Amino acid sequence: MSYPPPQGPYGGQQGYQQYPPGPPQGPPSHSPYPQQQPYGAPPYPQQQQQYGAPPPGQYPPPGQYPQQHPQQQYPPSQYPPQQGQYGAPPPSHSPYPPQQQQPHGQYSQPQGQYPPPHQGQYPPNQYPPQQSPYPSAPYGAPPPQPHGAPPVMPTPPSAGYDPNQIARVDMAGAADGLRKAMKGFGTDEATVIRILAHMTPQEIPALKQTYQQRHHRSLEADLKSELSGYFEFAVLAVLRGPLQQDVWCIYDALKGAGTKESLLDDVLIGRSNADIRAIKTAYQQTYRRSLESDVKADLSAKTERMYSMILAASRQEESAPVYPQAVDADVSELHRATEAKTGTEQLTVCSILTSRSDGQVRAIAQAYEHKYRRSLETVIRSEFAGHMEDALVRMVRSGADKAMRDALALEECMKGPGTKDERLVERVVAVHWDRQHASQVKGAYRHRFGKELVSRIKGETSGDYEKMLVAMLE
């Protein structure tokens, strides 16, 4: 059963318009993966949704959990039609998202980004045949697929994470423009910003290759010698491209005394299995050592175990269906391991949240609040502390609403005395690779804080550094 999407912007406010699809990602390559979608997006096409609007046939938006009304019940696997807009109390009384047998698509709003299986059809309003979700595997392991379930399609790597995908476009003009901007006395920073701020992940390697061929120089070395400060930091972060920037951030997080766990969280949490494998391969090629070994050497105890689970790249794929029976089992086990006892079974919680898909985590969080009247994020904050608390909260937010997760992370860099400039640069650069997602983040920021993200950044930065960050988000 599917329902039409809500009409009109949230609360009648302006600015919650539908966003156009992201920029073209170049022609097909010889990669074994399907055609690339924007950074962070799942691989299946769908209609674009407004920020905050529940997509067709899906469950209520993040943070809007159904209330229990025992006197009103719905038949198994059926749900009341959704009629409200984002922010209005949802009419649904079930904590579970109905399963849709339709293709899904580009990232627009996280509730719509978890594609159901598209092979094999089941009667309307019915789930695939239910089997016991945990026959013999240890608790926390991904639930095996029930007998007769359609095959789960692996999520392909994000744009820029497959080395076989390079834009087949003429970058001579951009390469010559950058060389001209740096020749002679002084640097034409405006030209550098204009050329680099909107480069796609596939265009970055083509630009660097063309610059080397035409001018017999390293573009990165030239820019590094011409620029300085946080402007240089931002330009070089873009020039690395998303994959090498992730590798650089991980190395920065692990080098020297202490570990920057929040930087590891930004790079590793909420990523597809394909992206994690690409990051591990690129790290090995860049530094000639294993990422797992470096993480294990830098961390200890349960924190190291948690990151090892993440690096195993064994999450359920985003095309995996969400089975209510498995969600119920996870919710009960999370409650038993936290609020229901003295002392928290930390690794049980880590095992569940690191092995489930974003769609499954979202269903678990909604069902937990529906059943126990406390949000899963609140429970984590009361039962955990320090780096593990921050990491688990990010896992829940990644499943609930990636756009809001990133909006909150950007505000965290700017609130209070002083600006965390390096983190602000890293987070803006990560967001900007996917233009559709960047628009969603700006909408989420406006919805949460009542102001424009770009205006907020302008108030915290200055000069060419400010202009570069603003250009990436506009």
Side-chain angles (χ1 to χ4, degrees):
M1 179 181 297
S2 63
Y3 308 105
Q7 301 298 317
Y10 166 72
Q13 297 180 12
Q14 297 300 316
Y16 282 81
Q17 74 276 15
Q18 291 184 346
Y19 301 105
Q25 301 298 324
S29 70
H30 300 291
S31 168
Y33 297 101
Q35 185 174 359
Q36 203 63 54
Q37 299 295 332
Y39 175 83
Y44 308 98
Q46 73 173 44
Q47 287 186 332
Q48 300 300 324
Q49 302 294 323
Q50 304 171 20
Y51 175 76
Q58 289 289 335
Y59 34 90
Q64 302 298 317
Y65 301 96
Q67 302 297 317
Q68 289 178 322
H69 294 281
Q71 63 268 35
Q72 184 178 11
Q73 301 293 331
Y74 297 95
S77 301
Q78 293 187 11
Y79 304 91
Q82 298 190 9
Q83 299 171 349
Q85 299 181 0
Y86 183 84
S92 174
H93 301 280
S94 170
Y96 308 111
Q99 299 299 301
Q100 297 295 317
Q101 302 300 326
Q102 61 184 19
H104 268 257
Q106 292 183 339
Y107 182 98
S108 73
Q109 173 64 8
Q111 294 92 333
Q113 71 172 339
Y114 310 100
H118 58 281
Q119 298 181 13
Q121 299 294 322
Y122 298 94
N125 306 325
Q126 292 186 18
Y127 287 105
Q130 298 294 306
Q131 300 289 332
S132 173
Y134 306 108
S136 59
Y139 196 84
Q145 296 301 308
H147 177 71
V152 173
M153 300 299 293
T155 304
S158 299
Y161 288 75
D162 182 351
N164 292 319
Q165 288 200 335
I166 300 178
R168 301 293 190 262
V169 294
D170 183 6
M171 303 302 293
D176 293 348
L178 287 170
R179 182 66 193 131
K180 182 179 179 181
M182 292 183 282
K183 287 181 69 173
F185 181 76
T187 304
D188 182 358
E189 289 87 356
T191 296
V192 173
I193 294 170
R194 176 178 55 80
I195 293 175
L196 293 179
H198 293 144
M199 282 274 170
T200 68
Q202 294 91 342
E203 288 172 338
I204 290 292
L207 172 64
K208 292 192 288 187
Q209 185 179 73
T210 302
Y211 190 92
Q212 177 69 45
Q213 291 172 346
R214 291 178 69 84
H215 303 290
H216 308 287
R217 304 170 67 92
S218 163
L219 177 56
E220 185 171 358
D222 282 356
L223 287 169
K224 192 170 184 178
S225 67
E226 292 287 332
L227 309 178
S228 62
Y230 293 122
F231 178 48
E232 174 196 346
F233 192 81
V235 168
L236 293 180
V238 171
L239 196 61
R240 291 185 191 105
L243 177 56
Q244 282 302 320
Q245 173 65 7
D246 280 350
V247 169
W248 186 91
C249 285
I250 291 173
Y251 179 78
D252 184 51
L254 298 176
K255 71 179 182 181
T259 306
K260 300 175 184 175
E261 283 89 352
S262 64
L263 191 50
L264 287 180
D265 293 346
D266 280 3
V267 174
L268 298 175
I269 289 177
R271 305 301 294 271
S272 69
N273 294 332
D275 281 3
I276 292 291
R277 287 191 286 267
I279 290 168
K280 291 195 296 184
T281 299
Y283 189 93
Q284 175 76 45
Q285 293 172 344
T286 303
Y287 299 109
R288 296 293 186 265
R289 53 181 186 263
S290 160
L291 176 55
E292 293 97 329
S293 298
D294 281 2
V295 167
K296 189 171 184 178
D298 218 56
L299 302 172
S300 62
K302 294 176 182 177
T303 302
E304 179 267 318
R305 292 281 302 280
M306 178 185 69
Y307 283 108
S308 294
M309 294 176 189
I310 294 170
L311 290 171
S314 58
R315 299 180 70 198
Q316 287 282 288
E317 298 290 349
E318 292 307 323
S319 58
V322 179
Y323 293 108
Q325 185 179 5
V327 170
D328 283 340
D330 284 341
V331 167
S332 297
E333 186 67 1
L334 286 169
H335 184 259
R336 185 199 65 78
T338 55
E339 296 184 285
K341 59 181 295 182
T342 302
T344 303
E345 294 182 13
Q346 295 179 334
L347 291 181
T348 297
V349 178
C350 293
S351 180
I352 294 172
L353 294 181
T354 58
S355 61
R356 304 299 184 254
S357 70
D358 286 342
Q360 291 165 351
V361 169
R362 183 186 313 117
I364 289 167
Q366 291 180 338
Y368 193 100
E369 181 159 343
H370 177 72
K371 184 173 183 179
Y372 297 111
R373 292 292 188 255
R374 294 187 72 195
S375 72
L376 184 55
E377 181 173 331
T378 299
V379 172
I380 289 171
R381 292 203 178 280
S382 67
E383 298 286 332
F384 292 82
H387 305 310
M388 188 172 286
E389 172 193 343
D390 294 338
L392 293 173
V393 165
R394 184 172 176 86
M395 291 178 203
V396 174
R397 289 180 176 177
S398 294
D401 187 340
K402 275 187 166 68
M404 184 61 75
R405 177 202 70 184
D406 291 345
L408 293 171
L410 288 167
E411 174 61 21
E412 184 182 276
C413 299
M414 298 180 281
K415 69 181 181 181
T419 303
K420 303 177 183 69
D421 293 282
E422 289 189 2
R423 302 310 309 281
L424 180 61
V425 168
E426 290 157 355
R427 288 172 175 174
V428 169
V429 169
V431 164
H432 101 287
W433 291 118
D434 176 2
R435 307 305 298 172
Q436 180 69 26
H437 178 57
S439 294
Q440 291 291 321
V441 171
K442 290 188 287 186
Y445 190 93
R446 184 188 312 117
H447 176 70
R448 180 62 177 264
F449 300 106
K451 62 182 74 172
E452 297 297 328
L453 176 59
V454 168
S455 298
R456 180 78 166 102
I457 290 175
K458 285 181 177 179
E460 294 290 325
T461 58
S462 62
D464 294 320
Y465 164 42
E466 170 199 330
K467 293 174 184 176
M468 183 66 181
L469 295 190
V470 169
M472 283 190 282
L473 292 175
E474 288 186 333

